Amino acid sequence: ELLGVIAPSTGQGLAGIGGLLMLVALGCSVPALVVRRRAQQSGSVVRHLPWLRKVNFGLLAVTVLLLMLSLIAPAMNAARTAQSQAVADGPWSEHSFANAGFQVSTPANWEVHADPSITNAGIWLTDRQNDLHLIASATQKQDVAFPSLEALQQQVLQTLQQNAVDPRIGEKMQIQVDDRPAVEVAMAGTFNGVNLIFYSRLVEYPDTWVEVRLWTTPSRFQEHEATFGRIASTLHQKK
């Protein structure tokens, strides 16, 4: 699992470190050879390996391990990416929320996350394998005092910022969903020591505000950003 999430560039870094250790090991082998030759010339017996030779063998062992990891890590990462892409391109599952009034679709491996705080007006879905999360929710307009879609989006961002360290807000975009006005934005920040990126899409229906909010870590977001966009685009009101 750990090798599967190592970035491809990390494999190159491991290979570079392994190369440096090999040079150090070769450097240690020279004085070790000198010590052995002097012992042979003086007629003394080297009963134990000198400490330089021990260091040499240790460095060579670590070098071999790092070089192996530098080959395995990119291969594991590529396999994991291919598997995730295959799941994303495969059949998707439909999920209803807000008393079956709205629907959103996800790859088949996403599961419903049980949470008592999520009522029938919303749904929480999780891709456990890739640590991806989604909450889709609907709020009746008559229950809240937001005069516009932009005001609601500002409230959503302020709520996220309250628990974030060094929050950073991306460019806000106005789009259409179900021929209805919508806005989307991404926000990054540190939450309880974990760096996260949130992607939020808000849609204004005649009597309902609907939000699709997805989040994950930055490395996962780069890998699954296209999937996030596809999931958000599946939101629609059921007829």
Side-chain angles (χ1 to χ4, degrees), residues 113-124 135-138 215:
H113 180 80
D115 190 314
S117 64
I118 303 298
T119 64
N120 290 334
I123 188 172
W124 185 344
I135 286 182
S137 60
W215 71 93

Side-chain angles (χ1 to χ4, degrees), residues 1 23 26 28 44 47 50-51 66 104 115 124 129 171 190 196 203 207 219 233:
E1 180 69 12
L23 292 177
L26 292 175
C28 289
S44 60
R47 297 183 180 278
W51 67 272
L66 289 177
V104 66
D115 190 314
W124 185 344
Q129 179 180 356
E171 181 182 359
T190 303
L196 296 174
V203 187
D207 57 356
S219 60
S233 67

Side-chain angles (χ1 to χ4, degrees), residues 94-237:
E94 298 178 346
H95 308 275
S96 299
F97 63 99
N99 295 317
F102 296 90
Q103 182 174 286
V104 66
S105 298
T106 65
N109 64 320
W110 286 61
E111 305 172 356
V112 176
H113 180 80
D115 190 314
S117 64
I118 303 298
T119 64
N120 290 334
I123 188 172
W124 185 344
L125 300 166
T126 301
D127 177 353
R128 298 180 184 275
Q129 179 180 356
N130 296 300
D131 194 22
L132 311 178
H133 304 270
L134 156 69
I135 286 182
S137 60
T139 304
Q140 294 295 317
K141 284 186 174 181
Q142 62 182 351
D143 295 336
V144 293
F146 296 111
S148 66
L149 191 61
E150 289 71 20
L152 177 58
Q153 184 184 64
Q154 187 63 31
Q155 178 61 37
V156 169
L157 293 175
Q158 288 179 356
T159 301
L160 290 174
Q161 287 176 303
Q162 289 177 358
N163 300 316
V165 176
D166 188 26
R168 300 175 302 280
I169 300 176
E171 181 182 359
K172 302 176 183 178
M173 297 182 60
Q174 295 185 349
I175 58 176
Q176 292 281 322
V177 175
D178 271 353
D179 295 326
R180 304 296 307 172
V183 293
E184 63 180 16
V185 66
M187 193 196 86
T190 303
F191 298 79
N192 296 323
V194 180
N195 294 327
L196 296 174
I197 295 181
F198 285 82
Y199 171 89
S200 173
R201 174 174 289 189
L202 287 162
V203 187
E204 179 181 3
Y205 289 92
D207 57 356
T208 310
W209 302 112
V210 178
E211 180 188 13
V212 174
R213 182 185 305 177
L214 303 107
W215 71 93
T216 189
T217 56
S219 60
R220 298 293 196 184
F221 183 81
Q222 293 176 3
E223 182 181 351
H224 298 280
E225 182 177 4
T227 301
F228 274 17
R230 287 182 59 187
I231 291 174
S233 67
T234 64
L235 171 67
H236 69 274
Q237 186 175 25

Side-chain angles (χ1 to χ4, degrees), residues 20-89:
L20 291 176
L21 290 178
M22 181 174 290
L23 292 177
V24 175
L26 292 175
C28 289
S29 66
V30 174
L33 180 61
V34 171
V35 171
R36 186 175 183 85
R37 287 293 177 85
R38 287 180 178 177
Q40 291 176 347
Q41 291 174 0
S42 63
S44 60
V45 179
V46 182
R47 297 183 180 278
H48 301 286
L49 290 176
W51 67 272
L52 282 175
R53 293 190 65 190
K54 293 181 179 180
V55 173
N56 183 34
F57 288 138
L59 289 174
L60 288 175
V62 174
T63 298
V64 172
L65 176 61
L66 289 177
L67 291 177
M68 291 179 61
L69 288 176
S70 70
L71 297 175
I72 295 174
M76 293 289 290
N77 184 273
R80 186 185 185 92
T81 301
Q83 181 183 10
S84 299
Q85 187 62 42
V87 172
D89 293 339

